[in-house]
């Protein structure tokens, strides 16, 4: 085994700049796979090519599934404690190499370096959490209705898992799937987003250094998402598919998985409402709005997408919000004062510009930020747009950019109806100092996750997942492990028959 990032015989990271200037390899069976056919990984801040990565296809995906299936035979019967030890070592190595991983992330994804460091820590927290949860895959004993029968359940790893991850969190979305799968005793084929494969390959190397046996984790790098996705969702050896991405692709993967009836976890799109009631604490509401909306330049599924503000607090809230938005600095994420990095690609920027134009045509007003719509760069200055209405495109779709769309409302029951008027149901936020309203509103919002007086709700310890067309299945928390376990029910007859 030759190391890609680490010095031979050590777990000391080599100079990352030096390493990034050479071609990268995918990984099957703990072997680095090179290919003459590669694709470029580019820096969205500069448009420059960072490095190249093998562009693998159907044959290599099948090979990776076979490696994972073979590894499952031995990995699935290791003890939870053995798996826990390897995961714990992996967690320590990720933490130790925070700087190199964060730097790589900013280069390939664009987010500010401080956010990238925060993501490495968030991503590592899933590995730490599931290193512990590995030891808690309890079955149960069931009181029997029949004399002599003993009823109980055991939990067993489900089998080979296909994990398909997005570009917006190149570390955390990977570890949120891999750590529980590996903890449960499953083996994995990972297809990271083509925009951000480097962090996943770094994690792979650290996993090998932590002692992960061959075939337990395999990484297919590819731009042929449809072809690779088809193999992963139809191959009979794959027992579970975990996907984070758009609702449209999630539906296709679900359809394809039907022929072999795979277990699915789908973390899909969102359209999060954020409601500020008259009795909210303005400072709390503004700081949470900023954190939720502008994390990763607005490119998160749980980002506040529609800001509803009650009439009585509207002007004071907007004034404080505008002052906070005007302090944000757009730029290359490697510069320490940058708070908003570039969008991931031209398509993402064009989509945000189209939302602004459509909203302006329908009567909305820009009150902060002058979007530089013509420039070649992928930056969008943080923008506040008011007088928004449900007819506007930005009200119906995920914005995925630093554009803050504000609506005004009068009554609690009206805003609940507006907030729920979407096919999505991932996250919702509201701000109030009234404890009765907290319960009342929380229970009526059709969302899988609710933040009350808080804009950042994701933690390894808490169940992340949506309702409606935002998908199903939970990631993180004790529920996250369940997604990779099969429950086997056993009925044992203990009656002694005497002749
Ligand atoms: C996402 O955008 O899908 C993930 C955000 C998070 O984990 O908080």
């Amino acid at each position: 085994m030759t190391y890609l990032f680490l010095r031979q015989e050590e777990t000391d990271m080599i100079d990352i700049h030096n390493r990034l200037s050479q071609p990268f390899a995918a990984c099957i069976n703990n072997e680095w796979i090179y290919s003459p056919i590669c694709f470029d990984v580019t820096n969205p801040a500069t448009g420059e090519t960072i490095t190249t990565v093998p562009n693998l296809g159907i044959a290599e995906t099948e090979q990776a599934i076979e490696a994972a299936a073979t590894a499952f035979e031995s990995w699935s019967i290791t003890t939870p404690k053995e798996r826990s030890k390897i995961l714990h070592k992996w967690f320590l190595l990720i933490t130790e190499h925070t700087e190199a991983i964060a730097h790589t992330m900013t280069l390939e994804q664009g987010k500010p370096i401080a956010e990238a460091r925060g993501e490495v820590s968030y991503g590592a927290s899933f590995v730490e959490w599931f290193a512990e949860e590995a030891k808690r895959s309890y079955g149960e004993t069931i009181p029997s209705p029949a004399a002599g029968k003993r009823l109980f359940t055991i939990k067993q790893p489900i089998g080979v898992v296909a994990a398909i991850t997005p570009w917006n969190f190149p570390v955390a979305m990977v570890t949120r799937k891999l750590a529980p799968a590996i903890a449960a005793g499953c083996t994995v084929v990972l297809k990271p987003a083509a925009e951000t494969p480097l962090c996943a390959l770094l994690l792979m190397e650290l996993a090998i250094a932590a002692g992960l046996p061959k075939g337990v984790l395999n990484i297919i790098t590819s731009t042929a998402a449809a072809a690779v996705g088809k193999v992963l969702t139809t191959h009979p050896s794959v027992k579970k598919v975990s996907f984070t991405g758009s609702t449209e692709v999630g539906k296709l993967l679900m359809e394809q998985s039907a022929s072999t009836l795979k277990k699915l976890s789908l973390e899909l799109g969102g359209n999060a409402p954020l409601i500020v009631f008259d009795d909210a604490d303005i400072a709390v509401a503004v700081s949470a709005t900023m954190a939720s909306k502008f994390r990763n330049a607005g490119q998160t599924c749980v980002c506040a997408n529609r800001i509803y503000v009650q009439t009585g607090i509207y002007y004071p809230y907007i004034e404080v919000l505008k002052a906070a938005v005007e302090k944000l600095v757009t730029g290359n994420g490697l510069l320490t004062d940058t708070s908003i990095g570039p969008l991931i690609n031209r398509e993402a920027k064009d989509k945000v510009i189209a939302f602004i134009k459509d909203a302006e045509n329908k009567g909305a007003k820009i009150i902060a930020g002058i979007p530089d719509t013509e420039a070649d760069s992928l930056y969008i200055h943080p923008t506040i747009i008011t007088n928004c209405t449900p007819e506007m495109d930005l009200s119906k779709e995920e914005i995925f950019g630093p554009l803050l769309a504000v609506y005004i409302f009068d009554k609690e029951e009206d805003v609940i109806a507006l907030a729920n008027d979407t096919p999505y149901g991932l996250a919702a936020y509201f701000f109030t100092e009234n404890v009765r309203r907290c319960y009342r509103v929380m229970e009526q919002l059709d969302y899988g996750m609710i933040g009350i007086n808080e804009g950042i709700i994701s933690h390894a310890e808490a169940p992340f997942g949506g309702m409606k067309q935002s998908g199903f299945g939970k990631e993180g928390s004790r529920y996250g492990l369940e997604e990779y376990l099969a429950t086997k029910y056993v009925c044992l007859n203990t009656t002694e028959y005497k002749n």
Side-chain angles (χ1 to χ4, degrees):
M1 166 79 214
T2 53
Y3 287 117
L4 276 180
F5 291 97
L6 307 177
R7 287 202 189 97
Q8 294 286 347
E9 315 301 331
E10 299 176 33
T11 54
D12 191 17
M13 190 79 62
I14 60 166
D15 173 16
I16 201 76
H17 279 287
N18 200 12
R19 178 60 196 96
L20 290 173
S21 62
Q22 296 154 45
F24 272 61
C27 193
I28 301 176
N29 230 4
N30 286 10
E31 299 288 338
W32 298 112
I33 308 294
Y34 290 91
S35 165
I37 307 160
C38 288
F39 63 93
D40 290 349
V41 182
T42 54
N43 179 344
T46 60
E48 287 162 9
T49 298
I50 305 166
T51 186
T52 62
V53 165
N55 203 354
L56 303 182
I58 293 173
E60 294 89 351
T61 309
E62 285 171 346
Q63 206 187 324
I65 295 170
E66 277 146 32
T70 304
F72 183 72
E73 289 167 23
S74 47
W75 184 247
S76 58
I77 54 170
T78 53
T79 64
K81 194 165 177 175
E82 286 172 85
R83 300 197 289 270
S84 172
K85 269 191 188 158
I86 293 175
L87 284 168
H88 198 70
K89 178 96 194 285
W90 194 25
F91 160 72
L92 292 176
L93 285 173
I94 297 170
T95 306
E96 198 180 311
H97 294 103
T98 296
E99 272 317 300
I101 304 170
H103 193 93
T104 307
M105 191 190 302
T106 295
L107 285 176
E108 67 176 344
Q109 200 276 338
K111 69 181 63 181
I113 189 72
E115 275 194 52
R117 289 187 190 113
E119 185 186 333
V120 177
S121 156
Y122 174 46
S125 74
F126 289 106
V127 182
E128 185 185 36
W129 171 260
F130 285 109
E132 294 304 320
E133 285 301 287
K135 295 179 267 182
R136 302 194 185 106
S137 53
Y138 305 122
E140 60 179 349
T141 53
I142 300 162
S144 175
K149 283 185 176 177
R150 301 285 189 269
L151 317 185
F152 57 95
T153 64
I154 60 164
K155 300 279 181 174
Q156 290 182 307
I158 196 156
V160 175
V161 172
I164 306 175
T165 53
W167 50 261
N168 60 346
F169 289 88
V171 167
M173 297 305 100
V174 167
T175 53
R176 192 154 81 181
K177 295 184 192 312
L178 301 191
I182 292 169
C186 295
T187 55
V188 186
V189 177
L190 167 70
K191 154 79 180 71
E195 292 84 349
T196 56
L198 305 181
C199 282
L201 293 170
L202 254 176
L203 292 174
M204 177 84 233
E205 176 151 348
L206 296 174
I208 295 171
L212 199 69
K214 63 181 194 174
V216 174
L217 172 60
N218 307 274
I219 302 190
I220 294 294
T221 51
S222 181
T223 55
V228 170
K230 184 88 188 269
V231 179
L232 293 175
T233 49
T234 54
H235 197 294
S237 294
V238 175
K239 303 298 181 212
K240 153 114 195 167
V241 175
S242 179
F243 169 70
T244 296
S246 73
T247 296
E248 190 193 346
V249 174
K251 285 179 183 173
L252 177 70
L253 297 177
M254 185 165 173
E255 220 175 285
Q256 291 174 176
S257 299
S259 63
T260 47
L261 225 58
K262 299 189 195 313
K263 187 167 172 169
L264 289 167
S265 293
L266 299 176
E267 201 271 90
L268 309 178
N271 182 358
L274 183 151
I275 307 166
V276 184
F277 288 103
D278 279 347
D279 59 7
D281 178 317
I282 291 187
V284 170
V286 169
S287 113
T289 307
M290 297 293 290
S292 170
K293 177 73 243 184
F294 294 112
R295 179 175 170 223
N296 198 17
Q299 302 173 109
T300 84
C301 303
V302 289
C303 261
N305 210 54
R306 295 168 289 153
I307 318 294
Y308 294 104
V309 190
Q310 204 162 14
T311 37
I313 200 171
Y314 185 81
Y315 290 103
Y317 168 82
I318 290 288
E319 195 185 320
V320 183
L321 184 70
K322 190 165 177 287
V325 167
E326 281 168 352
K327 284 198 195 117
L328 295 175
V329 179
T330 305
N332 187 321
L334 289 179
L335 304 173
T336 46
D337 60 349
T338 294
S339 37
I340 302 285
L343 296 193
I344 191 70
N345 53 33
R346 187 72 225 181
E347 197 188 340
K349 179 167 174 175
D350 287 346
K351 196 170 161 215
V352 176
I353 293 168
F355 282 136
I356 296 172
K357 288 190 174 152
D358 170 77
E360 276 187 307
N361 289 340
K362 291 174 181 159
K365 217 172 113 199
I366 293 178
I367 60 151
I370 307 151
D372 189 358
T373 51
E374 302 308 323
D376 272 350
S377 77
L378 297 178
Y379 297 112
I380 292 253
H381 294 295
T383 302
I384 305 180
I385 187 157
T386 59
N387 295 13
C388 292
T389 63
E391 293 70 40
M392 295 171 185
D393 292 344
L394 51 64
S395 166
K396 297 175 215 154
E397 292 170 49
E398 217 171 11
I399 297 171
F400 244 61
L403 171 60
L404 213 151
V406 184
Y407 306 70
I408 192 161
F409 76 93
D410 205 14
K411 295 204 184 84
E412 183 180 300
E413 59 267 33
D414 295 342
V415 81
I416 288 169
L418 284 165
N420 286 337
D421 187 19
T422 166
Y424 300 102
L426 192 57
Y429 309 85
F430 64 92
F431 296 84
T432 177
E433 295 292 297
N434 177 333
V435 74
R436 280 186 292 276
R437 177 175 266 160
C438 283
Y439 278 92
R440 203 166 58 228
V441 174
M442 174 270 286
E443 285 167 2
Q444 292 179 79
L445 287 171
D446 297 335
Y447 289 83
M449 297 176 280
I450 310 278
I452 307 177
N453 297 331
E454 179 56 64
I456 299 292
I457 55 175
S458 310
H459 299 287
E461 295 79 359
F464 189 104
M467 291 163 58
K468 295 160 69 180
Q469 292 190 33
S470 289
F472 45 79
K474 296 291 177 196
E475 297 196 300
S477 79
R478 67 187 175 85
Y479 301 104
L481 190 68
E482 287 292 319
E483 300 285 334
Y484 298 93
L485 291 167
T487 301
K488 188 176 278 177
Y489 156 60
V490 184
C491 175
L492 169 70
N493 185 349
T494 56
T495 312
E496 278 183 48
Y497 291 97
K498 297 197 177 81
N499 294 322

